[in-house]
Amino acid sequence: MRIDVLSIFPKMFAPMRESIMGKVIERGLVDFNVIDFRDFTTNKHHNVDDVIYGGGQGMLLMPQPIFDAMAHVEATAGDRGRVILLDPAGRKFDQHVAEELAQESHLTFIAGHYEGYDERIRSLVTDEISLGDFVLTGGELGAMVVIDATVRLLDEALGDKMSAVDDSFSTGLLEYPQYTRPAEFRGMKVPDVLLSGHHAHIKSWRLKESLRRTYERRPDLLENYQLSAEEQKLLNEIKAESQLNE
Ligand SMILES: C[S@@+](CC[C@H](N)C(=O)[O-])C[C@H]1O[C@@H](n2cnc3c(N)ncnc32)[C@H](O)[C@@H]1O
């Protein structure tokens, strides 16, 4: 996968060289480039922003540097790929969007700043993505979040210390509780079933606890989830158990 990011703060992307993402780049699984669109300004002072027509506080990113930086991406990569604008007005980012983006061979992100973008910049864009209902100072952190969640889904990205298969949201449910050694720590015991070696029982316990966690913490996820007969039975048990504990 090739990833280009258009930003005026390229140094903010230093964390992308660490941890899993760093290894993924080192191994050549992702060709990661940050392009400072200030380098593409044609004005004497290398300004990337200007005042807002019609008045109003703050400054807006001008179209010219971003259009020219995008032309540079196209010239070097052969295409722009899927062009993602980080913007509070965009589609809310979630695991499904990450799964969709992980299918692409080329992603280009545009990170905004100041009051945001001149509206014409949106003509370059295929997707607008928001991290949530809050306002960040810039699109860099948003781009890094989207890139991290997407890249970890690529085949071979996680190595053998992690797996995305049972992650929360991948299955449509939150992940079940997990434990590592020791079997007892400060009086807190690992559930017996996990030490039993009985794979079918462990599988069923995990499914039930996954359903329980989702039911208790994110019942909204269950509204769009197709329960199997077994899952429905387990959920009924969970509801009965929670009534007993009330
Ligand atoms: C200060 S914000 C501009 C906010 C804009 N005036 C508005 O009200 O929508 C500057 C930049 O940060 C990024 N940003 C801010 N909040 C974001 C969010 N929730 N999701 C994604 N990007 C965001 C965008 O790139 C945005 O252009």
Side-chain angles (χ1 to χ4, degrees):
M1 175 185 272
R2 175 172 167 141
I3 298 178
D4 292 289
V5 184
L6 274 48
S7 160
I8 44 170
F9 293 101
K11 286 187 189 152
M12 282 186 75
F13 290 88
M16 294 274 95
R17 305 279 166 189
E18 299 289 333
S19 180
I20 303 268
M21 187 66 196
K23 290 206 179 76
V24 160
I25 295 171
E26 220 171 77
R27 284 159 52 210
L29 219 59
V30 170
D31 175 9
F32 182 66
N33 313 287
V34 185
I35 294 132
D36 185 348
F37 55 85
R38 196 181 291 283
D39 292 343
F40 293 84
T41 50
T42 50
N43 64 78
K44 203 166 78 190
H45 300 291
H46 299 294
N47 291 330
V48 291
D49 55 320
D50 212 332
V51 294
I52 304 173
Y53 276 126
Q57 292 205 320
M59 304 286 267
L60 277 188
L61 291 171
M62 308 189 288
Q64 178 273 319
I66 293 183
F67 271 72
D68 286 356
M70 192 62 81
H72 166 79
V73 168
E74 204 167 353
T76 52
D79 61 50
R80 294 177 192 167
R82 201 144 154 189
V83 180
I84 297 151
L85 189 80
L86 278 307
D87 193 89
R91 169 185 180 196
K92 214 179 269 184
F93 187 61
D94 64 15
Q95 191 69 13
H96 298 297
V97 182
E99 281 162 8
E100 201 184 301
L101 297 180
Q103 305 302 314
E104 301 289 339
S105 57
H106 185 193
L107 301 174
T108 301
F109 292 83
I110 306 176
H113 259 277
Y114 315 123
E115 275 307 310
Y117 316 91
D118 179 291
E119 194 62 19
R120 291 163 288 190
I121 288 168
R122 293 184 203 270
S123 68
L124 293 170
V125 166
T126 58
D127 299 73
E128 299 186 12
I129 290 183
S130 166
L131 279 219
D133 295 346
F134 46 81
V135 177
L136 299 163
T137 53
E140 284 75 12
L141 290 170
M144 282 191 271
V145 167
V146 175
I147 292 167
D148 187 284
T150 301
V151 164
R152 70 191 296 285
L153 297 176
L154 300 181
D155 287 344
E156 299 172 48
L158 294 183
D160 56 7
K161 290 212 174 190
M162 286 171 92
S163 158
V165 175
D166 285 337
D167 274 348
S168 298
F169 311 112
S170 296
T171 57
L173 301 173
L174 298 180
E175 195 175 49
Y176 45 80
Q178 299 191 92
Y179 300 84
T180 183
R181 282 180 281 206
E184 183 172 346
F185 178 72
R186 298 190 180 177
M188 293 178 280
K189 288 185 177 163
V190 173
D192 288 339
V193 62
L194 298 178
L195 309 175
S196 69
H198 195 301
H199 295 301
H201 289 177
I202 292 172
K203 196 168 167 225
S204 172
W205 182 87
R206 286 180 166 162
L207 178 59
K208 185 169 180 179
E209 295 313 310
S210 194
L211 282 162
R212 189 193 308 278
R213 192 158 268 192
T214 311
Y215 173 67
E216 288 175 351
R217 301 187 189 186
R218 290 291 307 276
D220 57 300
L221 294 177
L222 290 176
E223 283 164 24
N224 300 316
Y225 186 84
Q226 291 293 323
L227 291 164
S228 66
E230 186 196 358
E231 288 167 339
Q232 186 62 66
K233 181 178 149 280
L234 292 172
L235 187 60
N236 292 343
E237 286 174 19
I238 291 164
K239 287 180 179 171
E241 285 161 16
S242 82
Q243 272 168 4
L244 276 180
N245 291 334
E246 270 170 15

